PDB file of all heavy atoms in Angstrom:
ATOM      1  N   ALA A   1      50.663 160.717  96.144  1.00  0.00           N
ATOM      2  CA  ALA A   1      50.050 160.157  97.347  1.00  0.00           C
ATOM      3  C   ALA A   1      50.870 159.008  97.903  1.00  0.00           C
ATOM      4  O   ALA A   1      51.091 158.903  99.121  1.00  0.00           O
ATOM      5  CB  ALA A   1      48.627 159.688  97.036  1.00  0.00           C
ATOM      6  N   SER A   2      51.362 158.157  97.017  1.00  0.00           N
ATOM      7  CA  SER A   2      52.181 157.026  97.454  1.00  0.00           C
ATOM      8  C   SER A   2      53.464 157.513  98.107  1.00  0.00           C
ATOM      9  O   SER A   2      53.888 156.989  99.151  1.00  0.00           O
ATOM     10  CB  SER A   2      52.507 156.126  96.258  1.00  0.00           C
ATOM     11  OG  SER A   2      53.330 155.044  96.642  1.00  0.00           O
ATOM     12  N   GLY A   3      54.096 158.526  97.500  1.00  0.00           N
ATOM     13  CA  GLY A   3      55.351 159.043  98.042  1.00  0.00           C
ATOM     14  C   GLY A   3      55.195 159.722  99.381  1.00  0.00           C
ATOM     15  O   GLY A   3      56.125 159.743 100.196  1.00  0.00           O
ATOM     16  N   ILE A   4      54.016 160.277  99.641  1.00  0.00           N
ATOM     17  CA  ILE A   4      53.760 160.945 100.912  1.00  0.00           C
ATOM     18  C   ILE A   4      53.365 159.950 101.993  1.00  0.00           C
ATOM     19  O   ILE A   4      53.861 160.002 103.131  1.00  0.00           O
ATOM     20  CB  ILE A   4      52.647 162.006 100.752  1.00  0.00           C
ATOM     21  CG1 ILE A   4      53.047 163.096  99.752  1.00  0.00           C
ATOM     22  CG2 ILE A   4      52.278 162.615 102.118  1.00  0.00           C
ATOM     23  CD1 ILE A   4      54.194 163.968 100.186  1.00  0.00           C
ATOM     24  N   TRP A   5      52.461 159.027 101.665  1.00  0.00           N
ATOM     25  CA  TRP A   5      51.832 158.186 102.680  1.00  0.00           C
ATOM     26  C   TRP A   5      52.487 156.827 102.870  1.00  0.00           C
ATOM     27  O   TRP A   5      52.360 156.231 103.939  1.00  0.00           O
ATOM     28  CB  TRP A   5      50.359 157.976 102.337  1.00  0.00           C
ATOM     29  CG  TRP A   5      49.558 159.234 102.388  1.00  0.00           C
ATOM     30  CD1 TRP A   5      49.095 159.950 101.325  1.00  0.00           C
ATOM     31  CD2 TRP A   5      49.123 159.943 103.552  1.00  0.00           C
ATOM     32  NE1 TRP A   5      48.400 161.057 101.754  1.00  0.00           N
ATOM     33  CE2 TRP A   5      48.401 161.073 103.121  1.00  0.00           C
ATOM     34  CE3 TRP A   5      49.278 159.719 104.929  1.00  0.00           C
ATOM     35  CZ2 TRP A   5      47.835 161.983 104.010  1.00  0.00           C
ATOM     36  CZ3 TRP A   5      48.707 160.623 105.807  1.00  0.00           C
ATOM     37  CH2 TRP A   5      48.001 161.730 105.355  1.00  0.00           C
ATOM     38  N   ARG A   6      53.154 156.313 101.859  1.00  0.00           N
ATOM     39  CA  ARG A   6      53.660 154.937 101.924  1.00  0.00           C
ATOM     40  C   ARG A   6      55.178 154.944 102.127  1.00  0.00           C
ATOM     41  O   ARG A   6      55.944 155.086 101.187  1.00  0.00           O
ATOM     42  CB  ARG A   6      53.295 154.190 100.639  1.00  0.00           C
ATOM     43  CG  ARG A   6      53.513 152.684 100.702  1.00  0.00           C
ATOM     44  CD  ARG A   6      52.982 152.019  99.439  1.00  0.00           C
ATOM     45  NE  ARG A   6      51.562 152.285  99.252  1.00  0.00           N
ATOM     46  CZ  ARG A   6      50.911 152.065  98.105  1.00  0.00           C
ATOM     47  NH1 ARG A   6      51.568 151.619  97.049  1.00  0.00           N
ATOM     48  NH2 ARG A   6      49.630 152.320  98.027  1.00  0.00           N
ATOM     49  N   ASN A   7      55.616 154.793 103.363  1.00  0.00           N
ATOM     50  CA  ASN A   7      57.048 154.782 103.701  1.00  0.00           C
ATOM     51  C   ASN A   7      57.787 155.950 103.049  1.00  0.00           C
ATOM     52  O   ASN A   7      58.713 155.746 102.241  1.00  0.00           O
ATOM     53  CB  ASN A   7      57.691 153.459 103.283  1.00  0.00           C
ATOM     54  CG  ASN A   7      57.007 152.253 103.907  1.00  0.00           C
ATOM     55  OD1 ASN A   7      56.447 151.423 103.200  1.00  0.00           O
ATOM     56  ND2 ASN A   7      57.018 152.173 105.223  1.00  0.00           N
ATOM     57  N   PRO A   8      57.407 157.183 103.368  1.00  0.00           N
ATOM     58  CA  PRO A   8      58.020 158.355 102.725  1.00  0.00           C
ATOM     59  C   PRO A   8      59.513 158.472 103.029  1.00  0.00           C
ATOM     60  O   PRO A   8      59.977 158.085 104.097  1.00  0.00           O
ATOM     61  CB  PRO A   8      57.252 159.529 103.343  1.00  0.00           C
ATOM     62  CG  PRO A   8      56.742 159.011 104.651  1.00  0.00           C
ATOM     63  CD  PRO A   8      56.427 157.570 104.396  1.00  0.00           C
ATOM     64  N   HIS A   9      60.239 159.006 102.061  1.00  0.00           N
ATOM     65  CA  HIS A   9      61.678 159.247 102.203  1.00  0.00           C
ATOM     66  C   HIS A   9      61.851 160.665 102.746  1.00  0.00           C
ATOM     67  O   HIS A   9      61.521 161.646 102.076  1.00  0.00           O
ATOM     68  CB  HIS A   9      62.362 159.107 100.847  1.00  0.00           C
ATOM     69  CG  HIS A   9      63.848 159.268 100.901  1.00  0.00           C
ATOM     70  ND1 HIS A   9      64.672 158.989  99.825  1.00  0.00           N
ATOM     71  CD2 HIS A   9      64.680 159.671 101.892  1.00  0.00           C
ATOM     72  CE1 HIS A   9      65.926 159.233 100.158  1.00  0.00           C
ATOM     73  NE2 HIS A   9      65.953 159.651 101.404  1.00  0.00           N
ATOM     74  N   VAL A  10      62.367 160.766 103.958  1.00  0.00           N
ATOM     75  CA  VAL A  10      62.517 162.051 104.629  1.00  0.00           C
ATOM     76  C   VAL A  10      63.984 162.431 104.708  1.00  0.00           C
ATOM     77  O   VAL A  10      64.847 161.589 105.020  1.00  0.00           O
ATOM     78  CB  VAL A  10      61.897 162.002 106.045  1.00  0.00           C
ATOM     79  CG1 VAL A  10      62.244 163.252 106.841  1.00  0.00           C
ATOM     80  CG2 VAL A  10      60.386 161.855 105.952  1.00  0.00           C
ATOM     81  N   TYR A  11      64.272 163.696 104.405  1.00  0.00           N
ATOM     82  CA  TYR A  11      65.646 164.210 104.478  1.00  0.00           C
ATOM     83  C   TYR A  11      65.675 165.486 105.308  1.00  0.00           C
ATOM     84  O   TYR A  11      64.872 166.403 105.105  1.00  0.00           O
ATOM     85  CB  TYR A  11      66.199 164.495 103.074  1.00  0.00           C
ATOM     86  CG  TYR A  11      67.596 165.066 103.104  1.00  0.00           C
ATOM     87  CD1 TYR A  11      68.685 164.241 103.383  1.00  0.00           C
ATOM     88  CD2 TYR A  11      67.833 166.419 102.883  1.00  0.00           C
ATOM     89  CE1 TYR A  11      69.967 164.764 103.438  1.00  0.00           C
ATOM     90  CE2 TYR A  11      69.110 166.944 102.937  1.00  0.00           C
ATOM     91  CZ  TYR A  11      70.178 166.107 103.215  1.00  0.00           C
ATOM     92  OH  TYR A  11      71.448 166.623 103.287  1.00  0.00           O
ATOM     93  N   TRP A  12      66.620 165.533 106.247  1.00  0.00           N
ATOM     94  CA  TRP A  12      66.844 166.728 107.067  1.00  0.00           C
ATOM     95  C   TRP A  12      68.301 166.726 107.502  1.00  0.00           C
ATOM     96  O   TRP A  12      68.886 165.671 107.750  1.00  0.00           O
ATOM     97  CB  TRP A  12      65.933 166.730 108.297  1.00  0.00           C
ATOM     98  CG  TRP A  12      66.261 167.807 109.287  1.00  0.00           C
ATOM     99  CD1 TRP A  12      65.915 169.127 109.202  1.00  0.00           C
ATOM    100  CD2 TRP A  12      66.990 167.674 110.506  1.00  0.00           C
ATOM    101  NE1 TRP A  12      66.394 169.818 110.292  1.00  0.00           N
ATOM    102  CE2 TRP A  12      67.060 168.935 111.114  1.00  0.00           C
ATOM    103  CE3 TRP A  12      67.613 166.595 111.145  1.00  0.00           C
ATOM    104  CZ2 TRP A  12      67.724 169.167 112.322  1.00  0.00           C
ATOM    105  CZ3 TRP A  12      68.263 166.812 112.345  1.00  0.00           C
ATOM    106  CH2 TRP A  12      68.301 168.087 112.930  1.00  0.00           C
ATOM    107  N   ASP A  13      68.906 167.907 107.568  1.00  0.00           N
ATOM    108  CA  ASP A  13      70.338 168.000 107.888  1.00  0.00           C
ATOM    109  C   ASP A  13      70.587 169.295 108.651  1.00  0.00           C
ATOM    110  O   ASP A  13      70.245 170.377 108.170  1.00  0.00           O
ATOM    111  CB  ASP A  13      71.142 167.971 106.585  1.00  0.00           C
ATOM    112  CG  ASP A  13      72.634 168.130 106.799  1.00  0.00           C
ATOM    113  OD1 ASP A  13      73.097 167.975 107.945  1.00  0.00           O
ATOM    114  OD2 ASP A  13      73.332 168.410 105.810  1.00  0.00           O
ATOM    115  N   SER A  14      71.170 169.186 109.827  1.00  0.00           N
ATOM    116  CA  SER A  14      71.380 170.370 110.662  1.00  0.00           C
ATOM    117  C   SER A  14      72.678 171.103 110.362  1.00  0.00           C
ATOM    118  O   SER A  14      72.985 172.107 111.004  1.00  0.00           O
ATOM    119  CB  SER A  14      71.384 169.963 112.146  1.00  0.00           C
ATOM    120  OG  SER A  14      72.486 169.120 112.433  1.00  0.00           O
ATOM    121  N   SER A  15      73.446 170.656 109.357  1.00  0.00           N
ATOM    122  CA  SER A  15      74.789 171.203 109.143  1.00  0.00           C
ATOM    123  C   SER A  15      74.801 172.556 108.437  1.00  0.00           C
ATOM    124  O   SER A  15      75.814 173.245 108.442  1.00  0.00           O
ATOM    125  CB  SER A  15      75.646 170.211 108.353  1.00  0.00           C
ATOM    126  OG  SER A  15      75.141 170.047 107.041  1.00  0.00           O
ATOM    127  N   THR A  16      73.685 172.936 107.784  1.00  0.00           N
ATOM    128  CA  THR A  16      73.646 174.235 107.109  1.00  0.00           C
ATOM    129  C   THR A  16      72.436 175.027 107.598  1.00  0.00           C
ATOM    130  O   THR A  16      71.447 174.456 108.080  1.00  0.00           O
ATOM    131  CB  THR A  16      73.559 174.090 105.579  1.00  0.00           C
ATOM    132  OG1 THR A  16      72.247 173.615 105.215  1.00  0.00           O
ATOM    133  CG2 THR A  16      74.611 173.130 105.051  1.00  0.00           C
ATOM    134  N   SER A  17      72.504 176.335 107.432  1.00  0.00           N
ATOM    135  CA  SER A  17      71.425 177.197 107.913  1.00  0.00           C
ATOM    136  C   SER A  17      70.116 176.938 107.181  1.00  0.00           C
ATOM    137  O   SER A  17      69.030 177.070 107.761  1.00  0.00           O
ATOM    138  CB  SER A  17      71.828 178.669 107.765  1.00  0.00           C
ATOM    139  OG  SER A  17      72.077 178.985 106.403  1.00  0.00           O
ATOM    140  N   VAL A  18      70.209 176.565 105.891  1.00  0.00           N
ATOM    141  CA  VAL A  18      69.000 176.297 105.112  1.00  0.00           C
ATOM    142  C   VAL A  18      68.401 174.951 105.501  1.00  0.00           C
ATOM    143  O   VAL A  18      67.213 174.849 105.838  1.00  0.00           O
ATOM    144  CB  VAL A  18      69.297 176.322 103.602  1.00  0.00           C
ATOM    145  CG1 VAL A  18      68.031 175.989 102.807  1.00  0.00           C
ATOM    146  CG2 VAL A  18      69.835 177.677 103.182  1.00  0.00           C
ATOM    147  N   ASN A  19      69.212 173.906 105.456  1.00  0.00           N
ATOM    148  CA  ASN A  19      68.701 172.563 105.705  1.00  0.00           C
ATOM    149  C   ASN A  19      68.213 172.370 107.136  1.00  0.00           C
ATOM    150  O   ASN A  19      67.321 171.558 107.391  1.00  0.00           O
ATOM    151  CB  ASN A  19      69.777 171.518 105.385  1.00  0.00           C
ATOM    152  CG  ASN A  19      70.033 171.393 103.902  1.00  0.00           C
ATOM    153  OD1 ASN A  19      69.232 171.833 103.082  1.00  0.00           O
ATOM    154  ND2 ASN A  19      71.154 170.804 103.536  1.00  0.00           N
ATOM    155  N   SER A  20      68.782 173.111 108.069  1.00  0.00           N
ATOM    156  CA  SER A  20      68.430 172.906 109.468  1.00  0.00           C
ATOM    157  C   SER A  20      66.995 173.323 109.787  1.00  0.00           C
ATOM    158  O   SER A  20      66.421 172.870 110.781  1.00  0.00           O
ATOM    159  CB  SER A  20      69.402 173.661 110.383  1.00  0.00           C
ATOM    160  OG  SER A  20      69.304 175.062 110.185  1.00  0.00           O
ATOM    161  N   VAL A  21      66.397 174.178 108.967  1.00  0.00           N
ATOM    162  CA  VAL A  21      65.047 174.659 109.264  1.00  0.00           C
ATOM    163  C   VAL A  21      64.006 174.152 108.258  1.00  0.00           C
ATOM    164  O   VAL A  21      62.879 174.642 108.212  1.00  0.00           O
ATOM    165  CB  VAL A  21      65.007 176.207 109.340  1.00  0.00           C
ATOM    166  CG1 VAL A  21      65.810 176.695 110.534  1.00  0.00           C
ATOM    167  CG2 VAL A  21      65.501 176.840 108.050  1.00  0.00           C
ATOM    168  N   HIS A  22      64.377 173.177 107.441  1.00  0.00           N
ATOM    169  CA  HIS A  22      63.453 172.545 106.505  1.00  0.00           C
ATOM    170  C   HIS A  22      63.638 171.032 106.562  1.00  0.00           C
ATOM    171  O   HIS A  22      64.757 170.559 106.757  1.00  0.00           O
ATOM    172  CB  HIS A  22      63.711 172.983 105.056  1.00  0.00           C
ATOM    173  CG  HIS A  22      63.644 174.452 104.817  1.00  0.00           C
ATOM    174  ND1 HIS A  22      64.714 175.300 105.052  1.00  0.00           N
ATOM    175  CD2 HIS A  22      62.641 175.235 104.367  1.00  0.00           C
ATOM    176  CE1 HIS A  22      64.371 176.545 104.750  1.00  0.00           C
ATOM    177  NE2 HIS A  22      63.114 176.530 104.327  1.00  0.00           N
ATOM    178  N   PHE A  23      62.562 170.293 106.374  1.00  0.00           N
ATOM    179  CA  PHE A  23      62.731 168.872 106.083  1.00  0.00           C
ATOM    180  C   PHE A  23      62.006 168.543 104.793  1.00  0.00           C
ATOM    181  O   PHE A  23      60.899 169.034 104.536  1.00  0.00           O
ATOM    182  CB  PHE A  23      62.302 167.970 107.247  1.00  0.00           C
ATOM    183  CG  PHE A  23      60.820 167.779 107.448  1.00  0.00           C
ATOM    184  CD1 PHE A  23      60.127 166.785 106.755  1.00  0.00           C
ATOM    185  CD2 PHE A  23      60.118 168.548 108.368  1.00  0.00           C
ATOM    186  CE1 PHE A  23      58.770 166.579 106.960  1.00  0.00           C
ATOM    187  CE2 PHE A  23      58.766 168.356 108.583  1.00  0.00           C
ATOM    188  CZ  PHE A  23      58.079 167.371 107.875  1.00  0.00           C
ATOM    189  N   GLY A  24      62.663 167.755 103.971  1.00  0.00           N
ATOM    190  CA  GLY A  24      62.111 167.409 102.675  1.00  0.00           C
ATOM    191  C   GLY A  24      61.506 166.028 102.675  1.00  0.00           C
ATOM    192  O   GLY A  24      62.027 165.109 103.316  1.00  0.00           O
ATOM    193  N   VAL A  25      60.405 165.887 101.961  1.00  0.00           N
ATOM    194  CA  VAL A  25      59.832 164.577 101.677  1.00  0.00           C
ATOM    195  C   VAL A  25      60.102 164.325 100.202  1.00  0.00           C
ATOM    196  O   VAL A  25      59.527 164.997  99.331  1.00  0.00           O
ATOM    197  CB  VAL A  25      58.324 164.538 101.962  1.00  0.00           C
ATOM    198  CG1 VAL A  25      57.799 163.114 101.800  1.00  0.00           C
ATOM    199  CG2 VAL A  25      58.032 165.059 103.356  1.00  0.00           C
ATOM    200  N   LEU A  26      61.029 163.431  99.918  1.00  0.00           N
ATOM    201  CA  LEU A  26      61.484 163.205  98.549  1.00  0.00           C
ATOM    202  C   LEU A  26      60.499 162.281  97.832  1.00  0.00           C
ATOM    203  O   LEU A  26      60.343 161.121  98.209  1.00  0.00           O
ATOM    204  CB  LEU A  26      62.894 162.609  98.553  1.00  0.00           C
ATOM    205  CG  LEU A  26      63.929 163.348  99.418  1.00  0.00           C
ATOM    206  CD1 LEU A  26      65.312 162.719  99.236  1.00  0.00           C
ATOM    207  CD2 LEU A  26      63.975 164.836  99.085  1.00  0.00           C
ATOM    208  N   VAL A  27      59.833 162.819  96.817  1.00  0.00           N
ATOM    209  CA  VAL A  27      58.737 162.107  96.155  1.00  0.00           C
ATOM    210  C   VAL A  27      59.063 161.905  94.681  1.00  0.00           C
ATOM    211  O   VAL A  27      58.873 162.822  93.861  1.00  0.00           O
ATOM    212  CB  VAL A  27      57.413 162.889  96.291  1.00  0.00           C
ATOM    213  CG1 VAL A  27      56.268 162.092  95.676  1.00  0.00           C
ATOM    214  CG2 VAL A  27      57.119 163.207  97.754  1.00  0.00           C
ATOM    215  N   PRO A  28      59.566 160.725  94.284  1.00  0.00           N
ATOM    216  CA  PRO A  28      59.791 160.466  92.858  1.00  0.00           C
ATOM    217  C   PRO A  28      58.474 160.116  92.167  1.00  0.00           C
ATOM    218  O   PRO A  28      57.690 159.310  92.668  1.00  0.00           O
ATOM    219  CB  PRO A  28      60.747 159.266  92.868  1.00  0.00           C
ATOM    220  CG  PRO A  28      60.454 158.557  94.161  1.00  0.00           C
ATOM    221  CD  PRO A  28      60.008 159.612  95.138  1.00  0.00           C
ATOM    222  N   VAL A  29      58.216 160.755  91.037  1.00  0.00           N
ATOM    223  CA  VAL A  29      56.972 160.555  90.296  1.00  0.00           C
ATOM    224  C   VAL A  29      57.311 160.092  88.886  1.00  0.00           C
ATOM    225  O   VAL A  29      57.995 160.805  88.136  1.00  0.00           O
ATOM    226  CB  VAL A  29      56.147 161.853  90.247  1.00  0.00           C
ATOM    227  CG1 VAL A  29      54.977 161.713  89.278  1.00  0.00           C
ATOM    228  CG2 VAL A  29      55.638 162.214  91.640  1.00  0.00           C
ATOM    229  N   ILE A  30      56.843 158.908  88.530  1.00  0.00           N
ATOM    230  CA  ILE A  30      57.064 158.393  87.179  1.00  0.00           C
ATOM    231  C   ILE A  30      56.021 158.994  86.245  1.00  0.00           C
ATOM    232  O   ILE A  30      54.820 158.916  86.498  1.00  0.00           O
ATOM    233  CB  ILE A  30      56.988 156.855  87.153  1.00  0.00           C
ATOM    234  CG1 ILE A  30      58.089 156.258  88.037  1.00  0.00           C
ATOM    235  CG2 ILE A  30      57.105 156.333  85.724  1.00  0.00           C
ATOM    236  CD1 ILE A  30      58.010 154.752  88.175  1.00  0.00           C
ATOM    237  N   VAL A  31      56.488 159.613  85.177  1.00  0.00           N
ATOM    238  CA  VAL A  31      55.615 160.272  84.202  1.00  0.00           C
ATOM    239  C   VAL A  31      55.598 159.440  82.925  1.00  0.00           C
ATOM    240  O   VAL A  31      56.646 159.165  82.338  1.00  0.00           O
ATOM    241  CB  VAL A  31      56.119 161.697  83.900  1.00  0.00           C
ATOM    242  CG1 VAL A  31      55.256 162.349  82.830  1.00  0.00           C
ATOM    243  CG2 VAL A  31      56.133 162.541  85.170  1.00  0.00           C
ATOM    244  N   SER A  32      54.418 159.051  82.497  1.00  0.00           N
ATOM    245  CA  SER A  32      54.314 158.241  81.278  1.00  0.00           C
ATOM    246  C   SER A  32      53.609 158.983  80.154  1.00  0.00           C
ATOM    247  O   SER A  32      53.427 158.429  79.069  1.00  0.00           O
ATOM    248  CB  SER A  32      53.579 156.929  81.577  1.00  0.00           C
ATOM    249  OG  SER A  32      52.276 157.177  82.062  1.00  0.00           O
TER     250      SER A  32
END
């Protein structure tokens, strides 16, 4: 929830056919 809602890290790149049609929300999760 924090990774999605609180200043999310967004990645998108138009240089490749795959990346150009997807955007990623990079969500690091600490597992204890």
